[in-house]
Amino acid sequence: MAVWIDGKALAAGIKAQVREEAAALPLRPVLAVVLVGEDPASQIYVRGKERDCAECGIRSLAHRLPADTRQEDLMALIQALNNDPAADGILVQLPLPRGLDQRPVLEAIRPDKDVDCFHPLNVGKMTLGREGFRPCTPAGVMEMLKAYDIPVQGKRCVVIGRSSLVGQPLASLLTQADGTVTLCHSRTENLAEHTRQADILVSAVGRPGLVTGDMVKEGAAVIDVAINRGEDGKLRGDVDFEAVEKKASFITPVPGGVGPMTRAMLMRSVLYAARLHQGQAV
Ligand code: NAP
């Protein structure tokens, strides 16, 4: 039976540490959160981030804009936040409503305030293994592996899903940690042949039941990034949890796995930005 990786407990520890370090800074870190429109899921996520900030002693400044906001007005807000010395981090809640072009908005965020690590400069630095921001979900996965002493070096790591948000950066981070990485996606032939080789298997697709028991090697560590809401309203990942937990050595539950870690890593990124802006060692 697999050990459950307790993302909630790990995240609580990281947030407590952020709180302590934030309190030691001359100025309180500030996160500007931009929410456009009324999407209920986005509103829940933003409230969650505001709660995390409060827990960590970070000030959150919410900018809630109507769904019919024009591109140029959103760009103007980003410029204003870029120029506002009080804002350490800028987070634009995604997805943006239809009609707004996400890419120019994310690329307009000043790289030293880009706590989600979406700006091409930060993505490049991350890919090169340079000091800088790390994308929150992949960083959270790496932190989980470290916390549970799951070795990556020399191990076969299979990541399913190649989005620029999760799969691709995670493949980069695992490679930098000396894993032997295979990145799978919707065009991958014989997915199960790849996944059965994995010592570490990460699924980041968004299809409940995609990873079945027979796709997992005995003793593998299985990390389920996905969040799927079923018709019953319950959250599930991609992994057939009951079957896979019998074979795996470690497994992340959904909810309570990668989700809380993503949020905790965001808080760490805001702390990092505040340190940069206050001339402190990072
Ligand atoms: P995404 O942009 O939709 O990417 C999904 C990826 O899965 C794509 O690369 C796609 O391949 C691949 N894929 C689709 N069907 C597949 C199949 N049958 N077999 C293999 N690969 C397949 O999604 P995302 O933003 O990366 O998010 C993935 C999941 O993680 C979602 O459930 C999302 O809600 C969740 N998520 C969770 C957190 C968290 O904090 N826990 C954070 C972010 C995202 P192609 O590239 O070929 O289309």
Side-chain angles (χ1 to χ4, degrees):
M1 251 347 209
V3 170
W4 288 26
I5 298 180
D6 188 345
K8 243 174 138 172
L10 280 180
I14 290 168
K15 285 193 283 183
Q17 197 185 351
V18 170
R19 184 185 175 83
E20 208 180 296
E21 291 180 32
L25 287 177
L27 300 170
R28 197 170 165 193
V30 176
L31 175 66
V33 181
V34 179
L35 173 62
V36 189
E38 313 288 330
D39 179 55
S42 293
Q43 295 195 21
I44 293 172
Y45 287 135
V46 164
R47 277 200 296 273
K49 284 165 191 172
E50 288 172 333
R51 265 200 313 275
D52 291 334
C53 284
E55 266 180 57
C56 292
I58 290 170
R59 199 151 69 90
S60 60
L61 295 176
H63 295 264
R64 291 182 161 82
L65 305 177
D68 61 359
T69 296
R70 293 177 316 160
Q71 184 88 24
E72 53 266 43
D73 293 333
L74 181 54
M75 298 296 282
L77 173 62
I78 301 295
Q79 282 316 331
L81 293 171
N82 280 342
N83 296 331
D84 179 357
D88 290 303
I90 303 171
L91 181 141
V92 177
Q93 184 63 45
L94 300 178
L96 290 174
R98 224 179 271 248
L100 287 174
D101 190 357
Q102 179 172 304
R103 205 166 100 178
V105 175
L106 298 181
E107 293 188 2
I109 294 174
R110 236 171 68 176
D112 59 303
K113 299 190 175 193
D114 173 33
V115 285
D116 263 332
C117 194
F118 286 152
H119 193 285
L121 184 80
N122 288 328
V123 175
K125 283 167 95 173
M126 183 271 302
T127 308
L128 294 168
R130 301 244 186 99
E131 172 71 44
F133 290 107
R134 294 289 178 267
C136 301
T137 302
V141 172
M142 296 305 291
E143 199 68 30
M144 289 173 131
L145 297 173
K146 197 165 116 195
Y148 280 78
D149 288 325
I150 299 167
V152 178
Q153 188 177 22
K155 299 298 176 191
R156 286 181 187 239
C157 309
V158 174
V159 179
I160 322 175
R162 59 171 162 181
S163 70
S164 50
L165 185 70
V166 186
Q168 280 190 43
L170 181 57
S172 247
L173 296 179
L174 287 165
T175 306
Q176 285 165 34
D178 294 329
T180 302
V181 181
T182 304
L183 185 53
C184 300
H185 44 78
S186 69
R187 307 297 165 94
T188 297
E189 292 180 2
N190 301 321
L191 180 65
E193 270 179 28
H194 295 283
T195 61
R196 279 192 208 111
Q197 310 265 328
D199 301 305
I200 297 171
L201 175 61
V202 183
S203 191
V205 173
R207 276 191 178 214
L210 176 77
V211 178
T212 51
D214 61 328
M215 291 170 71
V216 176
K217 182 166 103 173
E218 201 75 47
V222 180
I223 312 287
D224 195 347
V225 175
I227 303 174
N228 307 296
R229 193 174 287 278
E231 280 173 13
D232 55 4
K234 283 194 184 152
L235 296 183
R236 287 185 185 80
D238 289 340
V239 174
D240 176 352
F241 191 88
E242 274 170 27
V244 172
E245 80 163 332
K246 294 191 180 90
K247 287 182 90 176
S249 55
F250 293 93
I251 191 164
T252 57
V254 179
V258 177
M261 288 301 284
T262 298
R263 287 169 49 177
M265 298 317 281
L266 174 66
M267 296 298 105
R268 198 182 262 183
S269 288
V270 180
L271 176 67
Y272 177 83
R275 279 192 196 288
L276 281 181
H277 296 140
Q278 295 182 37
Q280 307 281 315
V282 286

